[in-house]
Amino acid sequence: MSTAIVTGPPVPGSSLENDLRALGFEVRTASDTAETEALLAAVPADRRVAVVDARFVGHVHALRLGLTDPRFPLAAIPGAVTAQSAGRQALSRALAGEASAGGGTALAVDGLVTALDADVHHPELGSLVAAVPADPQARNEARQAVAAIDDEAVRLKSAVKSRDGFFTTFFISPYSRYLARWCARRGLTPNQVTTASLVTALIAASCAATGTRAGFVAAGVLLIASFVLDCTDGQLARYSLQYSTLGAWLDATFDRAKEYAYYAGLALGAARGGGHDDVWALALGAMVLQTCRHVVDFSFNEANHDATANTSPTAALSGRLDSVGWTVWVRRMIVLPIGERWALIAVLTAATTPRITFCVLLIGCAFAATYTTAGRVLRSLTRKAKRTDRAAQALADLADNGPLAELSARVLRRAAKGPAFLWAAGGTALLLLTAWIDGSGPALVVAAVGYVLISSGAVVKPLKGALDWLVPPLFRAAEYGTVLILAGKAGVNGALPAAFGLVAAVAYHHYDTVYRIRGDAGAPPAWLVRAIGGQEGRTLLVTVLAAVLTAAQFKVALTVLAVVVAGLVLVESIRFWVSAGAPAVHDEGEPA
């Protein structure tokens, strides 16, 4: 149980101690700084501890936001500060300093926060009240301010992302927030809701796989139901501040698993339906395009995560457009975020055929990718930003180069000249054009060897150029696109589903890398990257297998490779995300 130390003379009529107990704190009282220090030292080091001014007046949710969020070692609101085990030493040092200055006097909690020599999180309270009144009149005014604002209404509103898509904001969140509250009051956790969302999406994929019109209609309805639950789990986490490392992993990966499993279900349904339509190439193409879109987003954001001089005329224009209300929603819709995308897929699944669904999805995603990438290229070219070492390392980790690229980079260290993204673009164009024109054969193997050399030239130097954030998505396009083209040209039944499985396994590895970097945990271990070959090693291996094996053997080889990669990546990923050292990442960024 967490411990709250209420310091200072008791205030008649105050509900502070009861409010803290309602939040799960064991309450202890201290009359002065010295007694507060003694009580703090008596609390076990692995417990959360809070120090609260007895004069505090405010909403219960303000205390909840300030004192119970598990993501931050140190957090504070006016009149209260809390420390988890990682922040206890900093709190103890600050309190010792206050005690030495005046151990027998009442502790000023806000002064204690100022004395902390570590980063302190200050949550955004909005209209919530959190104050330490100095006299009875101020206390009465603060209590009136508390009574004037509905604490629960603010809590419900804050459970919804401040920045979300049009469909989610107007068609899902108005009622999903109440579903989140219903779940909280019944003791359900965000992880349970996330799992329910995954199960619902898998049932939707199974319905789509039947190939019947009734199955397609049921699949569309269940896909929307899965998305409602997907919104609910995040709102439940924000409503009850239930953030966890396991929840971070589930939230980071299940969205992609649900969407790509649904693609597979649609492809199976098309093959089983009356027309026996083979749309596996379209399903794999949709997964490749969507994953590359996400890598563009991740790479650009990481490249500019802590860049200086982060302004440009393009960014200024974007800000002016956001000041016009309707343009905000139009711009959010045309990038086809997850809400709009899943609604589109659900409606098209129920009303049309899998082929039409995939064709419309590919067109929409291609337009969205062109729009967002073009805007980011313009921003990068017009802003004068200095990339940091952290950003360069993040891009290098996202590049996913293996031992072959490392070896080649040593040879090309002096020869590689020019922007890194041009090397990556040249290698990608060489590989994909050769695969498209000549298919499997010696020429493709030679091109793949050339790609290994050229791609290694892209990462010889730190990726600090204006457009070097394009290197990781170009590598994704090269690897995924090669697998798609070769499986399509194999002309044997089952090759494309095997390729779908391989790309899904590799894409999971790349998403896992992204969320580790976002949590400041670094890239996956080097042994894993080497074991699965790195992006250039896998690409070369696939081209060699396509050249030396028959079409039937190539299909089996793709299946085996998919199983091996998936097994290694999943075991390491699960080990990391359920470990104590994993970050409690909770994505509050743009909808994916």
Side-chain angles (χ1 to χ4, degrees), residues 485-535:
I485 293 171
L486 292 180
K489 286 181 173 290
V492 61
N493 189 33
L496 280 167
F500 189 96
L502 175 58
V503 172
V506 176
Y508 176 87
H509 166 60
H510 292 143
Y511 282 114
D512 185 56
T513 301
V514 165
Y515 282 97
R516 292 189 194 217
I517 292 172
R518 282 186 170 183
D520 290 325
W527 72 260
L528 177 64
V529 177
R530 295 191 181 101
I532 60 178
Q535 59 87 18

Side-chain angles (χ1 to χ4, degrees), residues 334-432:
I334 62 178
V335 299
L336 212 62
I338 186 171
E340 278 75 358
R341 191 168 65 251
W342 282 27
L344 176 67
I345 294 171
V347 171
L348 290 175
T349 299
T352 64
T353 65
R355 179 171 290 276
I356 293 175
T357 300
F358 281 124
C359 287
V360 174
L361 179 64
L362 283 166
I363 293 170
C365 287
F367 176 80
T370 302
Y371 171 79
T372 55
T373 304
R376 286 167 178 169
V377 167
L378 288 174
R379 288 190 183 194
S380 299
L381 291 174
T382 55
R383 70 165 38 133
K384 297 178 180 180
K386 182 179 179 181
R387 309 295 184 210
T388 63
D389 291 336
R390 179 201 177 280
Q393 184 58 52
L395 292 179
D397 292 337
L398 289 172
D400 190 34
N401 281 334
L404 289 178
E406 292 175 0
L407 181 62
S408 302
R410 296 174 185 173
V411 178
L412 296 173
R413 188 168 301 277
R414 294 184 179 180
K417 305 291 183 182
F421 80 94
L422 289 180
W423 284 81
T428 300
L430 170 66
L431 184 64
L432 294 180

Side-chain angles (χ1 to χ4, degrees), residues 48 61-84 87 90 110 113-114 116-125 241 243 588:
R48 174 191 287 275
H61 191 51
L63 287 171
R64 182 183 291 108
L65 290 173
L67 304 182
T68 67
D69 195 324
R71 296 173 296 175
F72 307 103
L74 288 164
I77 58 174
V81 61
T82 184
Q84 298 193 79
D110 290 341
V113 174
T114 304
L116 285 169
D117 57 357
D119 290 335
V120 181
H121 171 67
H122 296 273
E124 177 61 48
L125 298 180
L241 298 184
Y243 303 105
E588 297 290 349

Side-chain angles (χ1 to χ4, degrees), residues 189-584:
T189 67
N191 293 350
Q192 291 171 329
V193 178
T194 301
T195 303
S197 175
L198 175 66
V199 171
T200 304
L202 294 178
I203 296 173
S206 300
C207 291
T210 63
T212 64
R213 177 51 53 193
F216 288 149
V217 172
V221 173
L222 287 171
L223 186 63
I224 294 297
S226 175
F227 182 64
V228 172
L229 292 173
D230 182 58
C231 294
T232 301
D233 66 358
Q235 291 167 358
L236 174 58
R238 288 183 287 274
Y239 181 83
S240 55
L241 298 184
Q242 295 184 71
Y243 303 105
S244 67
T245 55
L246 179 60
W249 176 65
L250 296 176
D251 186 62
T253 58
F254 276 16
D255 279 354
R256 304 290 82 78
K258 289 181 287 189
E259 186 166 358
Y260 297 158
Y262 192 84
Y263 291 175
L266 274 180
L268 287 170
R272 290 180 177 179
H276 300 288
D277 194 9
D278 186 356
V279 297
W280 275 105
L282 295 176
L284 180 51
M287 181 166 66
V288 169
L289 178 57
Q290 191 59 30
T291 304
C292 288
R293 276 188 64 197
H294 286 142
V295 177
V296 167
D297 294 342
F298 299 144
S299 295
F300 179 81
N301 291 335
E302 287 302 322
N304 297 282
H305 180 268
D306 47 9
T308 58
N310 198 17
T311 59
S312 72
T314 309
L317 175 61
S318 177
R320 287 196 294 272
L321 288 174
D322 281 347
S323 65
V324 182
W326 64 271
T327 64
V328 175
W329 297 115
V330 171
R331 295 171 67 215
R332 290 187 190 179
M333 291 173 65
I334 62 178
V335 299
L336 212 62
I338 186 171
E340 278 75 358
R341 191 168 65 251
W342 282 27
L344 176 67
I345 294 171
V347 171
L348 290 175
T349 299
T352 64
T353 65
R355 179 171 290 276
I356 293 175
T357 300
F358 281 124
C359 287
V360 174
L361 179 64
L362 283 166
I363 293 170
C365 287
F367 176 80
T370 302
Y371 171 79
T372 55
T373 304
R376 286 167 178 169
V377 167
L378 288 174
R379 288 190 183 194
S380 299
L381 291 174
T382 55
R383 70 165 38 133
K384 297 178 180 180
K386 182 179 179 181
R387 309 295 184 210
T388 63
D389 291 336
R390 179 201 177 280
Q393 184 58 52
L395 292 179
D397 292 337
L398 289 172
D400 190 34
N401 281 334
L404 289 178
E406 292 175 0
L407 181 62
S408 302
R410 296 174 185 173
V411 178
L412 296 173
R413 188 168 301 277
R414 294 184 179 180
K417 305 291 183 182
F421 80 94
L422 289 180
W423 284 81
T428 300
L430 170 66
L431 184 64
L432 294 180
L433 286 174
T434 305
W436 181 264
I437 296 171
D438 292 335
S440 59
L444 181 60
V445 175
V446 173
V449 172
Y451 170 74
V452 171
L453 295 173
I454 296 174
S455 63
S456 63
V459 291
V460 166
K461 299 177 181 178
L463 298 175
K464 293 186 176 182
L467 296 178
D468 285 354
W469 56 269
L470 287 170
V471 170
L474 285 168
F475 285 170
R476 299 298 83 79
E479 181 181 2
Y480 301 164
T482 299
V483 175
L484 169 58
I485 293 171
L486 292 180
K489 286 181 173 290
V492 61
N493 189 33
L496 280 167
F500 189 96
L502 175 58
V503 172
V506 176
Y508 176 87
H509 166 60
H510 292 143
Y511 282 114
D512 185 56
T513 301
V514 165
Y515 282 97
R516 292 189 194 217
I517 292 172
R518 282 186 170 183
D520 290 325
W527 72 260
L528 177 64
V529 177
R530 295 191 181 101
I532 60 178
Q535 59 87 18
E536 82 292 348
R538 290 187 300 270
T539 303
L540 179 59
L541 177 60
V542 169
T543 60
V544 171
L545 292 174
V548 302
L549 300 178
T550 65
Q553 292 171 334
F554 180 59
K555 176 188 72 174
V556 175
L558 287 178
T559 303
V560 172
L561 186 58
V563 171
V564 170
V565 171
L568 288 171
V569 168
L570 282 171
V571 168
E572 162 55 24
S573 177
I574 293 172
R575 181 209 64 78
F576 171 78
W577 285 103
V578 300
S579 70

